[in-house]
Amino acid sequence: MSQHLWNAVDDYFNGLLVEEDAALRGAAEESEAAGLPPHQVAPNQGKLLHLLARIQGARSVLEIGTLGGYSTIWLARALPEGGRLITLEADPHHAAVAAANIAAAEVGHLVDLRVGKAVDTLPVLADEGVAPFDLVFIDADKPSNPEYLRWALRLTRPGSVIIGDNVVRDGAVTDPASADPRVQGVRSFTELIAEHPRLTATTLQTVGAKGYDGFTLALVTE
């Protein structure tokens, strides 16, 4: 198996099943042109987020980690009229690019983009009383994943869905002695989910245009 084959398979299914329009392609292109790291989800992964939000019937979504707004657009398009997506981005440059991409996709009326470190803005959300969120997508700095999970649990309800991206790390997640803080952040995140009485979850490994990785899907229970 090779990256070339993974790309070809993604291209085949994306060509048939994933409606990546000019606004989504533009968001990816503008992010690259602005020098943002190529960490946004792949088109089929964006469509998966969109479908999960629709299946969930989500009216309120929290995204931790905006980057250039690519996944934000997919999620916002899943919301009904009157829905709301709050997305948190630490880097002001990334946030400016995302804001332009979100506006170009004509979903700005659904999106509330907050700039600042999520560990600082999450307590503000709690104080504002905007919770509970129906779906939380965690796709930011991995060392902080355990803290993001704790806040996600405070800001959700029974029946809410929490998704954690990039949790396999090319398989490095299996190494308990890893010196990579991103790997240790994901391991702690996973262990917290495993032991938490309010969560039931699974993780899927993925291969494709974004390489070898995976995501965790958790349901908040009663």
Side-chain angles (χ1 to χ4, degrees):
M1 302 294 285
S2 68
Q3 185 65 56
H4 176 75
L5 180 59
W6 298 344
N7 290 348
V9 172
D10 267 5
D11 288 344
Y12 169 73
F13 285 110
N14 288 346
L16 291 171
L17 303 176
V18 178
E19 305 85 11
E20 192 188 34
D21 62 8
L24 285 163
R25 291 193 298 271
E29 292 164 1
E30 291 298 324
S31 296
E32 181 180 6
L36 274 61
H39 295 163
Q40 74 271 5
V41 299
N44 53 351
Q45 295 167 343
K47 181 66 177 289
L48 176 63
L49 290 172
H50 175 89
L51 290 173
L52 288 171
R54 289 182 64 180
I55 292 165
Q56 169 70 345
R59 296 187 60 85
S60 180
V61 173
L62 172 63
E63 178 182 50
I64 303 175
T66 315
L67 194 61
Y70 184 84
S71 56
T72 314
I73 295 167
W74 275 112
L75 286 166
R77 287 178 170 179
L79 293 174
E81 199 61 39
R84 184 185 193 190
L85 188 158
I86 298 179
T87 184
L88 311 180
E89 175 53 50
D91 188 303
H93 175 55
H94 295 178
V97 174
N101 288 334
I102 291 164
E106 300 183 349
V107 292
H109 62 294
L110 297 168
V111 177
D112 180 357
L113 172 58
R114 308 284 183 102
V115 184
K117 292 183 178 180
V119 291
D120 297 325
T121 50
L122 286 165
V124 174
L125 296 184
D127 290 342
E128 289 179 359
V130 294
F133 293 96
D134 302 315
L135 185 147
V136 177
F137 179 46
I138 301 173
D139 190 16
D141 59 307
K142 305 312 172 199
S144 298
N145 264 18
E147 187 66 13
Y148 298 152
L149 177 63
R150 294 184 186 99
W151 277 107
L153 283 163
R154 289 186 59 179
L155 296 169
T156 51
R157 56 168 177 78
S160 294
V161 170
I162 300 172
I163 304 167
D165 200 16
N166 306 126
V167 298
V168 172
R169 319 296 309 171
D170 285 318
V173 70
T174 62
D175 181 7
S178 173
D180 187 335
R182 295 168 298 181
V183 171
Q184 292 301 333
V186 168
R187 286 178 62 88
S188 296
F189 170 78
T190 307
E191 290 159 10
L192 284 170
I193 291 174
E195 67 189 22
H196 203 286
R198 292 181 56 217
L199 290 173
T200 183
T202 192
T203 294
L204 296 180
Q205 300 179 76
T206 59
V207 296
K210 304 298 288 187
Y212 172 38
D213 214 320
F215 66 93
T216 295
L217 179 68
L219 176 69
V220 182
T221 60
E222 293 291 342

